[in-house]
Amino acid sequence: MLEQTIKNERTLKSYRAWLQYDKIEDIDRKLYLKWFTAIGVATDTKITKSAVNEIIWAAESMLEKTPDINEETLDRTSIILGTYRHIHLEEYGLSSDLLEDVNEEGYVIKTVNNNEKQQILLIGKTDKGILYATYHLLRLIQTKASLEDLHIKDAPKNQFRMINQWDNIDGSIERGYAGNSIFYVNDNITDNLERVKDYARLLSSIGMNAISINNVNVWDEETNIITEKYLPKVKNIAEVFRAYGITIYLSINYASPIVLGSLETADPLDENVQNWWKQKVAEIYKYIPDFGGFVVKADSENRPGPFSYGRNHADGANVLAEALKPFNGIVIWRCFVYNNLQDWRDKETDRARAAYDHFTPIDGEFLDNVILQIKNGPMDFQVREGISPLLGALEKTNQFIELQVTQEYTGQQKDVCYLVPQWKEILEFDTYAKGQGTKIKDIVNGSVFKNNYSGIAAVSNIGNDINWTGHTLAQANLYGYGRLTWNPDLTTEEITKEWIYLTFGQNDQVVENITYILLNSWKTYENYTAPLGVGWMVNPGHHYGPNVDGYEYSKWGTYHFADCHGIGVDRTVETGTGYTSQYFPQNAETFNSLETCPDELLLFFHHVPYTYVLHSGETVIQHIYNTHFEGVEELKEFIQKWNDLDGLIDKVIFENVKERFHMQLENAKEWRDQINTYFYRKSGISDDKNRKIY
């Protein structure tokens, strides 16, 4: 029954996401059919087999053709897959150093004439390159590109392109908005690997190469999966992902030596603790020889860590790194470290300062197989916040940037909020770490500080809903994340159009309307939620819907510091928390000054009167009124544009998004009314357009 359910799901367009492989019925069918007579396979690995299977699947779906597979007589085939070591490049008029200037995951796609026969070569530097080249070729066919004269050379710009699952052993997902876990059921790891395999296909098709499969919050023995009870099934999941070029990682409880090992301490400098970790790591590698390593959240939000023993985070990470090093494993140590019991009214304990204050003093003390994972902002994935000044401040330590694909504070996949424009803005931010032009994207790809390890990680947004992401349009965030991590130089427009073509086809009205909705959705969401970078005005706990004073730790006062005179967090050097001083001088001066601070971040850095005039010419209070009214009206326009597509796209997808838009409109109205009413009553200043404020 379960297998039949998966089979039935695979027939649904919403399940297939961007791997639609729709039947080609027009004149293009003849143009592509000739390329799928026979597939030549020069390299025999599990990853190459995945590439071959994907081509067969796509050909049968798009062209109703099952190509022959030939591993011996390559000159009789139309598409050849192999690494540059297994394909005799000279026979095709190609240089043996064709891939010399690309990294190990790079590839070349080349149309050649061989003995008057046209062939397409999918040449990888390694078998991973073969797989990525295969997905690239299939993207070209799905977008109806010509294959007659291909010469494509490509390789990922980032070494690590990682997804973090926040899935729990009971099947729930922390900050999950698309059903339950595909990895866990009934307090155990699933035996059904078909959907796991389809997820691996989706991730591999957008260039992902690493995944952690359990929540960073690991609480007790029953949720800690580095045990004999769970490792045999973790091994099975690792085998699925390995076939698609994806390495598996596990999140751990830092107190595991106590919880699992019956030790009295988890002190990283204790010899018994060090030996326990070495034994545990050796055990894991017996099950998973290519295990990637550990993801660790420590000393934050009541999680255990080295602070409990008077040690710093380098001490804490290095004990794990020492254990993993003989196996080439790594430690990914999250920099989300702060004391959630601190008094926000005390200027010395500004949460935004925490990561920088904890980690810059120990830059250079981490072993070379430790990676610090740094959130894009210093707070917590808000719709708008300053860029973390820790990005660029660590010259001697490997680092990732951490993004959040799951929409915890951006609508929870009930509201459409396309995050690629936000991520592009983050990656293009100039830190000035090595002078002008030192952008985030160049720091996290390792080129600025010549890091041993570098890359991008993000919290996943998938669950076991039929369409993976709850809101079908939220698939664009996962797709966009993958494509952007592969190449941060791709434009938002390029990524958006590509996803729409692959998911919906190329009907002009469909492309135009969905493009408009996606490209404007982040700004619209920002308009009707928290203004000018102040963030947080959400219901505590679940974080959906407005609650102006509802931040979890509001016992210390409201996060936004609004009173009858003004609003905002003073983070200036002169009168505030001094947070602005953590940036390099050019940005510090910009953010510290009212005259130069960008409007969209004003309240993140400054406390100002409601009558303060923005660069836009509006007062702060009028901006709050205007944007919240505008956000609702913009959403109504989205709804109209979506309704215009009735009959032009899959009915299941249409109804799913239509239903979500109805939920979003009610949410937007609630935000508009609560925020405007709150600040009208707080400030006593009327809307100058005389609109109704309750």
Side-chain angles (χ1 to χ4, degrees):
M1 177 66 75
L2 189 56
E3 290 180 0
Q4 186 63 39
T5 300
I6 292 291
K7 183 177 180 180
N8 291 339
E9 284 182 336
R10 283 176 171 168
T11 68
L12 296 175
K13 293 181 72 66
S14 58
Y15 181 87
R16 299 202 304 270
W18 52 86
L19 298 180
Q20 292 292 320
Y21 301 147
D22 285 334
K23 182 179 178 182
I24 300 173
E25 296 180 333
D26 54 20
I27 193 172
D28 293 326
R29 186 173 186 274
K30 293 182 179 179
L31 298 177
Y32 293 121
L33 197 57
K34 68 176 184 177
W35 297 108
F36 289 88
T37 55
I39 307 300
V41 184
T43 301
D44 184 17
T45 68
K46 288 184 178 180
I47 292 176
T48 306
K49 283 183 171 64
S50 294
V52 172
N53 289 337
E54 198 71 27
I55 289 179
I56 293 172
W57 191 331
E60 290 176 343
S61 180
M62 292 189 290
L63 302 168
E64 298 180 323
K65 169 73 175 178
T66 302
D68 296 328
I69 305 301
N70 192 321
E71 298 179 359
E72 297 178 357
T73 314
L74 299 183
D75 59 355
R76 297 180 182 177
T77 61
S78 47
I79 298 176
I80 300 176
L81 289 73
T83 69
Y84 75 106
R85 296 181 184 277
H86 297 104
I87 294 177
H88 300 295
L89 299 178
E90 294 84 355
E91 294 181 8
Y92 301 94
L94 301 175
S95 170
S96 59
D97 62 1
L98 179 67
L99 280 85
E100 186 174 341
D101 59 343
V102 301
N103 59 42
E104 293 300 295
E105 295 175 298
Y107 58 84
V108 165
I109 302 175
K110 176 69 174 174
T111 307
V112 297
N113 288 298
N114 183 33
N115 296 325
E116 299 183 354
K117 177 179 177 61
Q118 273 194 312
Q119 294 176 298
I120 295 176
L121 306 181
L122 303 182
I123 313 167
K125 190 80 171 271
T126 62
D127 55 359
K128 285 188 180 182
I130 298 170
L131 183 61
Y132 297 138
T134 297
Y135 281 116
H136 192 149
L137 178 68
L138 295 177
R139 276 200 305 271
L140 293 174
I141 296 171
Q142 287 182 277
T143 54
K144 299 186 177 180
S146 171
L147 307 184
E148 298 297 322
D149 190 25
L150 297 176
H151 190 111
I152 298 167
K153 182 183 290 188
D154 201 5
K157 298 289 181 69
N158 287 292
Q159 179 187 15
F160 279 83
R161 306 172 303 281
M162 188 173 193
I163 278 287
N164 295 163
Q165 301 295 141
W166 281 4
D167 296 35
N168 301 310
I169 197 73
D170 65 1
S172 65
I173 303 174
E174 184 169 344
R175 309 308 176 192
Y177 310 111
N180 291 325
S181 173
I182 67 170
F183 296 99
Y184 308 100
V185 62
N186 298 327
D187 295 313
N188 209 332
I189 297 173
T190 184
D191 292 316
N192 170 35
L193 300 180
E194 286 301 311
R195 185 148 190 174
V196 173
K197 178 181 177 180
D198 284 339
Y199 186 41
R201 291 175 55 231
L202 287 172
L203 293 181
S204 183
S205 74
I206 51 176
M208 296 287 97
N209 66 357
I211 186 172
S212 59
I213 63 166
N214 62 317
N215 193 356
V216 293
N217 291 313
V218 182
W219 295 97
D220 52 30
E221 182 176 359
E222 287 305 309
T223 63
N224 201 331
I225 64 175
I226 55 171
T227 65
E228 289 185 355
K229 176 180 179 180
Y230 298 116
L231 284 173
K233 291 190 175 184
V234 175
K235 174 186 176 181
N236 295 337
I237 290 178
E239 289 175 353
V240 172
F241 281 106
R242 183 182 301 119
Y244 286 88
I246 300 169
T247 302
I248 198 169
Y249 293 74
L250 296 175
S251 298
I252 61 164
N253 181 338
Y254 195 78
S256 291
I258 300 172
V259 176
L260 301 180
S262 300
L263 299 185
E264 295 181 355
T265 180
D267 182 351
L269 300 191
D270 184 284
E271 185 176 354
N272 291 326
V273 171
Q274 295 168 0
N275 289 332
W276 187 89
W277 278 115
K278 289 176 182 178
Q279 292 170 12
K280 176 54 65 176
V281 166
E283 178 188 3
I284 294 170
Y285 277 94
K286 286 181 181 178
Y287 287 96
I288 312 166
D290 60 346
F291 177 62
F294 295 137
V295 177
V296 188
K297 176 180 178 179
D299 289 320
S300 185
E301 297 183 326
N302 304 311
R303 306 308 303 128
F307 284 175
S308 301
Y309 309 98
R311 315 303 184 190
N312 65 30
H313 280 263
D315 297 326
N318 288 345
V319 66
L320 301 173
E322 286 278 12
L324 288 162
K325 198 172 186 62
F327 303 93
N328 297 316
I330 63 173
V331 178
I332 301 171
W333 191 272
R334 297 179 82 237
C335 294
F336 186 56
V337 175
Y338 74 100
N339 179 2
N340 60 309
L341 301 179
Q342 66 187 349
D343 187 344
W344 303 118
R345 297 168 296 186
D346 182 352
K347 290 181 179 179
E348 299 302 316
T349 57
D350 179 6
R351 173 172 163 181
R353 294 183 56 105
Y356 186 99
D357 287 344
H358 284 308
F359 287 95
T360 53
I362 53 176
D363 184 23
E365 296 183 18
F366 293 89
L367 294 180
D368 62 4
N369 61 327
V370 175
I371 304 168
L372 297 186
Q373 185 163 300
I374 306 166
K375 286 189 177 184
N376 62 265
M379 301 302 288
D380 198 7
F381 302 126
Q382 298 301 292
V383 67
R384 177 85 66 173
E385 60 180 297
I387 305 296
S388 174
L390 192 57
L391 292 160
L394 301 171
E395 297 192 15
K396 303 173 185 177
T397 307
N398 302 314
Q399 55 200 277
F400 285 176
I401 187 173
E402 180 181 0
L403 307 173
Q404 191 180 52
V405 184
T406 194
Q407 295 170 227
E408 179 179 356
Y409 292 100
T410 52
Q412 301 191 357
Q413 286 142 239
K414 299 181 183 74
D415 298 16
V416 62
C417 186
Y418 184 47
L419 295 171
V420 171
Q422 182 195 60
W423 299 331
K424 280 288 292 184
E425 189 174 292
I426 291 164
L427 293 170
E428 294 292 337
F429 179 77
D430 193 348
T431 66
Y432 293 92
K434 290 288 186 181
Q436 187 173 4
T438 314
K439 296 182 177 182
I440 296 288
K441 65 181 181 182
D442 300 316
I443 292 169
V444 300
N445 72 20
S447 62
V448 172
F449 300 122
K450 311 304 178 186
N451 300 110
N452 191 35
Y453 297 114
S454 58
I456 304 179
V459 185
S460 172
N461 68 341
I462 72 104
N464 69 354
D465 280 2
I466 287 176
N467 66 359
W468 298 95
T469 56
H471 194 312
T472 306
L473 295 186
Q475 292 178 2
N477 282 329
L478 182 58
Y479 182 86
Y481 167 71
R483 296 293 285 133
L484 204 56
T485 57
W486 179 275
N487 182 5
D489 295 326
L490 291 172
T491 68
T492 299
E493 291 73 19
E494 286 173 327
I495 293 170
T496 308
K497 289 285 178 65
E498 190 175 86
W499 177 77
I500 294 171
Y501 288 165
L502 296 176
T503 306
F504 296 100
Q506 298 186 42
N507 176 281
D508 288 344
Q509 187 176 3
V510 171
V511 173
E512 179 182 346
N513 287 19
I514 298 178
T515 298
Y516 180 89
I517 291 168
L518 291 178
L519 293 185
N520 289 282
S521 60
W522 174 41
K523 184 61 179 175
T524 292
Y525 186 85
E526 182 179 24
N527 279 346
Y528 66 74
T529 55
L532 301 170
V534 73
W536 291 116
M537 297 177 179
V538 292
N539 282 307
H542 60 76
H543 297 164
Y544 185 75
N547 190 324
V548 186
D549 295 332
Y551 181 54
E552 273 91 340
Y553 312 120
S554 58
K555 64 182 179 180
W556 300 126
T558 61
Y559 174 77
H560 48 76
F561 293 95
D563 56 24
C564 63
H565 304 292
I567 181 177
V569 185
D570 185 355
R571 292 192 163 103
T572 64
V573 173
E574 294 80 7
T575 58
T577 70
Y579 165 79
T580 56
S581 67
Q582 293 184 341
Y583 291 94
F584 288 94
Q586 296 88 337
N587 287 323
E589 293 170 10
T590 296
F591 295 139
N592 197 68
S593 168
L594 275 172
E595 285 69 36
T596 55
C597 184
D599 284 349
E600 62 268 21
L601 288 171
L602 177 70
L603 302 184
F604 186 85
F605 289 105
H606 296 274
H607 186 89
V608 298
Y610 294 110
T611 54
Y612 179 80
V613 179
L614 303 170
H615 297 111
S616 67
E618 295 176 314
T619 62
V620 167
I621 190 64
Q622 194 57 45
H623 174 89
I624 292 172
Y625 295 152
N626 288 346
T627 53
H628 285 79
F629 279 110
E630 289 166 4
V632 173
E633 295 308 309
E634 290 161 0
L635 184 55
K636 290 178 180 177
E637 186 175 5
F638 292 174
I639 293 172
Q640 183 57 57
K641 287 186 175 295
W642 185 257
N643 288 340
D644 288 343
L645 303 183
D646 192 5
L648 297 178
I649 61 175
D650 176 75
K651 191 66 175 176
V652 173
I653 294 175
F654 178 82
E655 293 298 334
N656 166 260
V657 176
K658 182 178 179 180
E659 177 189 20
R660 298 285 165 141
F661 268 137
H662 175 75
M663 298 165 65
Q664 185 173 2
L665 182 59
E666 295 306 307
N667 187 40
K669 289 177 179 178
E670 187 178 9
W671 272 97
R672 176 198 63 193
D673 295 342
Q674 285 202 28
I675 299 294
N676 283 347
T677 299
Y678 179 96
F679 286 108
Y680 169 64
R681 293 175 178 175
K682 184 75 78 171
S683 69
I685 301 172
S686 299
D687 171 31
D688 66 10
K689 296 184 180 180
N690 296 316
R691 290 166 293 199
K692 188 174 183 180
I693 296 178
Y694 296 91

